[in-house]
Amino acid sequence: MLFEVWAPNAGRVALHFVTPRDRDAEGAGVEDPALTTGHAAATGYVRAGQVSAEHVPMERDPGRAGWWRADVPARHGDRYGFRLDDGPLLPDPRAARLPDGPDGPGAVVEHGRFVWRHAWPGRPLPGAVLYELHTGTFTDAGTFDAAVERLPHLARLGVTHLALMPVCPFPGTHGWGYEGVAPWAVHEPYGGPDGLKRLVDAAHGHGLGVVLDVVHNHLGPSGNHLPAFGPYFTETHHTPWGAAVNLDAPGSDEVRAYFIGSALSWLRDYRIDGLRLDAVHALIDTRARHFLADLSAAVDALSTHLRRPLFLIAESDLNDPRTLAPRAHGGHGLHAQWNDDFHHSLHTALTGESQGYYADFARAPLAALAKTLTGGFFHDGTYSSFRGRRHGSPLDRRATAAHRLLAYAQTHDQIGNRALGDRQATGLSPGLVACGAALVLCSPFTPMLFMGEEWAARTPWQFFTDHTDPELAEAVRSGRRREFAAHGWREADIPDPQDPATRDRSCLDWSEAERAPHAALLAWYRTLLAVRAAQPSLTDPDMTRTEVTYDEEARWLALRRGPVRVVVHLGGDGTAEVPGGSGRERVLAAWPDALDTVTAGPDGVLRLPPESAVVLSQEE
C-alpha cells in the first residue's frame, strides 16, 4: 500500500505502524481482531497507550516537491502515523479514521470493503426539501446507527435530503462539529467511516439523498496537527478563528488540493449527494481564480464521471451574485446558497424581534419578506444598519433559478447562537408556527427544516462542547458568558457548554410528536410537503413568476405562484380581508382545519381569522 504525506519543511519523515491500545482494562473490550495485523501482532497489546511496532523511513517523491512516500504492506485497520525529523508521532492529515481521536494515530480504511446494499442514481437539488440534523442530538444515543432508526419518519414526512451537520473528528464526544480538525476523517463516537456509510446507504434505501456540512474556513483549536506538516495556515490574513487557511500564500497549491481532495472523498467514497460549505465568506483568497471556483469545477467533473448529480451549497453572508454565477462568467459556479435574508424577514414578521441584524428587517417585516420572496436578497445594495454600510448586490432574477436559494425558518445557527438556544415554538403560538411553515414550504426556494421543527419541538438546541483541555474549556465557557452578558443576560443564566446536561437538553424528545399541539403541526407539515410535491408551480424555477401582496398594518401576506395562492394572517385579532381571489379556488391545505372549506366571497375577498394559513389552487 502506498503511503504519502506532504511535509515540505521536513528533513526526514518516517512511517510508523503502532499497536492498538488494550482497552480491556477500561471496560471497552479488546480491539477488534480485524485491526490486529502483522504490524500490531509484532509486539502484542500493551496497557500504556501506543507503542511503535514498525518503523519505515520514507523517501522523497521525485515527481512532487515536498512529498514523501513509502510503499509497504498494510491492511484495513492497521494503525499508523508519521514522525517528522524524529519528532512525536502525528496522525496522517488524510487519515480516513482516527480511532482514538484527533491526537491518536490513524487507521487504514479500505473504502472498497464496504458492501453497499442500495444502488443509487443520485437525487438532484431542484425540487428538494432538506432536513438539517445533528447526529449527536438527533437521538439520545447520538450515533449514525441510531439515526438510521428514525429514517422512516423522515421518509413519511416528505423531505428529500438529510443535511448532516459536520461529522469530522473533534476532541471529546459531544460538540456541534464546527471545531473539527481532520477534514478527511469521521468522528469515531458517531460510528466512524462505516457508521456514516451505513447511514447514507440506509437513507438512499428510503429514497433520501444526503448532504454533508464541511468546514474549510478554519479548524478547531485543539487537536489540529496540520501546521506541523506544512503551511496550511497563513498570517497573511486573519479570521475570527485566527490565522487564515492558506489559499493564496506560498504553498497554497497543496492546501487547496488538500481541501478539494477531502470534498471529493465525501462525494465519492461515502456516496454523499452534496456538500454544504460553511461560512465561505471566511475563505480569504486573492488569487485570480478563487478556491470555490476550483472546487466547483472538480465537483462538476466528478459528477460527470460518477454519472450522478452532485452539488455544492454555500453558507455566505455576502449577498454576492458571483457565488452562484457560472465560472465562465467570472463566478464561483456553486449550485446554491443559504439565504439568511429570507430567514431574517420571516423571523421578524413572526416574532417581532428587532435586535442586531434583525433591525433592518423589523422596520417593515412583510415588505422585507415580499422583497426576498420575489428578488432573493433583501440587502442588494441597500444600507445595512448592522454593518453600518451598504451591503449586497442584486441577483438577476431571470438568470438565477429559484431553487438555488435555500429558505428556512430555523437553522442550527439561528437557534444555537441564541443565549438559551430556544426554538421559535417556545415563544410562538401554534398558529404562527403554521403560518411560518406555509411560507417556507411554499416559497419559490429550496426549503430546509431543522430537526424537530416539523412538530414544533420545544427542546432547546444549545451551544455545547466537550473540550478535553481544561484551559480551553474554561476559555470557551467564560467567553460565551461574557458575550451574552454584554447584551444584558446574567452570566449565571447562560448554559455551561461543557456541562453534559447542556447537550442532553438539546436532544430531541421524540415523544413530543405524539402530543398536542405537536401532532397537529406534524400533520400540517406533512400536508404542506405533499402539496409541494404535487403542485408543479411550487417548484417552478422562474423567480419572475412569483407575486406577493401584503398589508403591513393588517398583518397578512399572499404569495401567488401560478395557480397556487398561499395566504397567511399573522395578526392576533380581527379578521383579515385579503383581495385577489376569484371565487373559484379550492383549498389544498388550511390551518386551522376549520378553514378547509374557505372560499373567497363574491367580491373576491378572502376572509381569514387571526393566525391562520391557507393554500389555494385556481380551478381550471
Side-chain angles (χ1 to χ4, degrees), residues 28 58 60 97 113 143 148 153 160 201 211 213 230 269 275 311 341 356-357 361 368 450 509 555 560 564 574-575 601:
M58 303 182 75
R60 294 184 184 272
R97 186 180 176 211
R113 288 170 53 99
T143 65
V148 168
H153 164 82
T160 65
D201 194 31
V211 179
D213 196 338
D269 300 329
L275 302 177
F311 52 86
D341 282 9
Y357 49 64
F361 302 86
F450 182 68
D509 176 3
R555 300 265 295 153
R560 183 180 293 278
V564 176
T575 298

Side-chain angles (χ1 to χ4, degrees), residues 92-379:
D92 181 357
R94 287 172 168 76
R97 186 180 176 211
L98 296 173
D100 301 308
D103 293 318
V108 173
V109 174
E110 297 177 4
H111 288 292
R113 288 170 53 99
F114 187 83
V115 178
W116 296 90
R117 297 178 302 151
H118 303 287
W120 181 243
R123 189 153 191 177
L125 189 62
V129 179
L130 275 58
Y131 185 93
E132 187 184 28
L133 71 86
H134 176 263
T135 302
T137 51
F138 187 55
T139 64
D140 288 338
T143 65
F144 296 129
D145 288 331
V148 168
E149 298 176 8
R150 295 295 182 180
L151 293 180
H153 164 82
L154 299 184
R156 290 193 302 272
L157 177 62
V159 299
T160 65
H161 291 73
L162 283 63
L164 299 177
M165 288 174 61
V167 300
C168 291
F170 52 87
T173 299
H174 297 299
W176 278 22
Y178 292 93
E179 294 184 338
V181 292
W184 291 63
V186 182
H187 194 48
E188 195 72 13
Y190 288 169
D194 278 4
L196 177 58
K197 291 174 184 175
R198 287 192 296 271
L199 174 57
V200 173
D201 194 31
H204 290 168
H206 285 281
L208 300 168
V210 181
V211 179
L212 178 64
D213 196 338
V214 296
V215 184
H216 293 158
N217 54 68
H218 75 287
L219 272 71
S222 177
N224 175 16
H225 299 286
L226 288 184
F229 286 90
Y232 282 90
F233 299 87
T234 174
E235 294 291 340
T236 304
H237 312 294
H238 284 81
T239 73
W241 305 282
V245 171
N246 179 16
L247 300 177
D248 57 4
S252 58
D253 286 354
E254 292 291 355
V255 178
R256 292 161 77 103
Y258 174 80
F259 285 104
I260 290 173
S262 165
L264 298 182
S265 174
W266 298 118
L267 299 168
R268 179 188 60 243
D269 300 329
Y270 295 87
R271 296 193 179 183
I272 299 291
D273 297 279
L275 302 177
R276 183 259 192 189
L277 310 176
D278 181 63
V280 300
H281 47 268
L283 294 171
I284 306 174
D285 183 4
T286 62
R287 291 169 63 158
R289 182 176 168 97
H290 198 279
F291 166 77
L292 292 174
D294 283 350
L295 175 60
S296 69
V299 169
D300 287 347
L302 181 63
S303 176
T304 299
H305 175 70
L306 296 177
R307 299 181 181 179
R308 62 180 172 90
L310 303 172
F311 52 86
L312 297 172
I313 302 171
E315 181 202 16
S316 173
D317 74 351
L318 299 177
N319 284 19
D320 186 348
R322 288 175 294 185
T323 302
L324 302 181
R327 294 185 298 275
H329 295 166
H332 301 332
L334 301 185
H335 306 94
Q337 74 164 78
W338 281 27
N339 186 6
D340 274 354
D341 282 9
F342 175 89
H343 169 272
H344 298 346
S345 56
L346 179 60
H347 185 84
T348 57
L350 294 173
T351 68
E353 292 184 12
S354 59
Q355 73 277 15
Y357 49 64
Y358 291 135
D360 292 331
F361 302 86
R363 291 191 179 94
L366 294 186
L369 188 54
K371 182 176 180 180
T372 59
L373 283 166
T374 55
F377 295 152
F378 174 77
H379 283 305

Side-chain angles (χ1 to χ4, degrees), residues 475-529:
V476 170
R477 178 188 297 114
S478 59
R480 187 164 179 87
R481 287 176 171 170
R482 284 196 306 270
E483 175 187 355
F484 286 104
H487 296 282
W489 291 87
R490 291 195 318 139
E491 289 194 20
D493 293 336
I494 306 304
D496 178 359
Q498 285 287 121
D499 185 347
T502 304
R503 176 264 173 184
D504 294 344
R505 283 192 298 271
S506 300
C507 292
L508 284 177
D509 176 3
W510 284 85
S511 69
E512 271 189 326
E514 302 170 0
R515 304 192 298 267
H518 306 285
L521 283 161
L522 177 56
W524 173 242
Y525 273 84
R526 286 174 174 163
T527 297
L528 289 173
L529 284 164

Side-chain angles (χ1 to χ4, degrees), residues 523-585:
W524 173 242
Y525 273 84
R526 286 174 174 163
T527 297
L528 289 173
L529 284 164
V531 168
R532 183 177 182 88
Q535 297 293 321
S537 65
L538 292 182
T539 52
D540 183 351
D542 189 346
M543 270 200 281
T544 67
R545 291 202 281 262
T546 298
E547 303 173 10
V548 178
T549 55
Y550 62 92
D551 186 318
E552 200 80 60
E553 184 176 351
R555 300 265 295 153
W556 63 259
L557 181 143
L559 165 68
R560 183 180 293 278
R561 304 187 63 205
V564 176
R565 189 164 63 124
V566 183
V567 186
V568 297
H569 180 201
L570 307 180
D573 51 35
T575 298
E577 296 188 347
V578 183
S582 66
R584 300 191 311 275
E585 293 174 304

